[in-house]
Amino acid sequence: MIVPDPLAEIRQEAVALAEQLIASSKDLVVRVRSLHQLLQSGVDLSGSADLSSFAAIDSEADAWPIGVAADLLDAGYRARCEQEMQSYGEECWPAVQRGCREVMRLLSRPN
């Protein structure tokens, strides 16, 4: 009898998000934060230096109003934050791509 993997859905979602992040740096900070949270949901990927960028970006994300409804923010402030996140994301994208390749390598294989 095959026992279902309780983390299979998390693994699939993480791989799909990693594939999206490799393809585009758009909304990188928000998407890396989501991926990092998924990976912390019980998927053990410790020991991979390529994944350390996710924790660093997640930590940096605290500087921006992520998850705050746009209509609650001053338009100028919102635009400035979006520009900062986009610039930061483009700067971090190569490291994120390496990390995403590692996520895909580790989570796409059967246990």
Side-chain angles (χ1 to χ4, degrees):
M1 181 169 131
I2 298 174
V3 177
D5 179 3
L7 298 175
E9 190 173 317
I10 291 172
R11 295 165 70 89
Q12 290 173 346
E13 191 174 342
V15 168
L17 193 48
E19 289 171 345
Q20 293 170 15
L21 280 160
I22 286 173
S24 170
S25 66
K26 183 173 176 16
D27 299 325
L28 182 133
V29 173
V30 174
R31 293 186 299 147
V32 165
R33 176 166 262 191
S34 295
L35 179 56
H36 188 244
Q37 290 170 353
L38 279 174
L39 296 175
Q40 291 181 317
S41 297
V43 179
D44 182 19
L45 298 176
S46 59
S48 175
D50 286 330
L51 302 179
S52 63
S53 62
F54 298 153
I57 292 168
D58 184 46
S59 178
E60 289 293 325
D62 291 338
W64 296 295
I66 295 172
V68 177
D71 60 342
L72 297 177
L73 300 172
D74 173 74
Y77 173 72
R78 185 181 74 235
R80 196 168 49 254
C81 287
E82 288 172 356
Q83 179 57 44
E84 288 173 7
M85 284 193 296
Q86 184 64 28
S87 294
Y88 180 74
E90 290 170 3
E91 181 181 312
C92 298
W93 196 30
V96 169
Q97 288 176 311
R98 285 190 300 276
C100 287
R101 286 186 190 93
E102 182 71 0
V103 167
M104 291 167 57
R105 185 183 71 76
L106 292 170
L107 297 185
S108 295
R109 68 179 184 211
N111 284 339

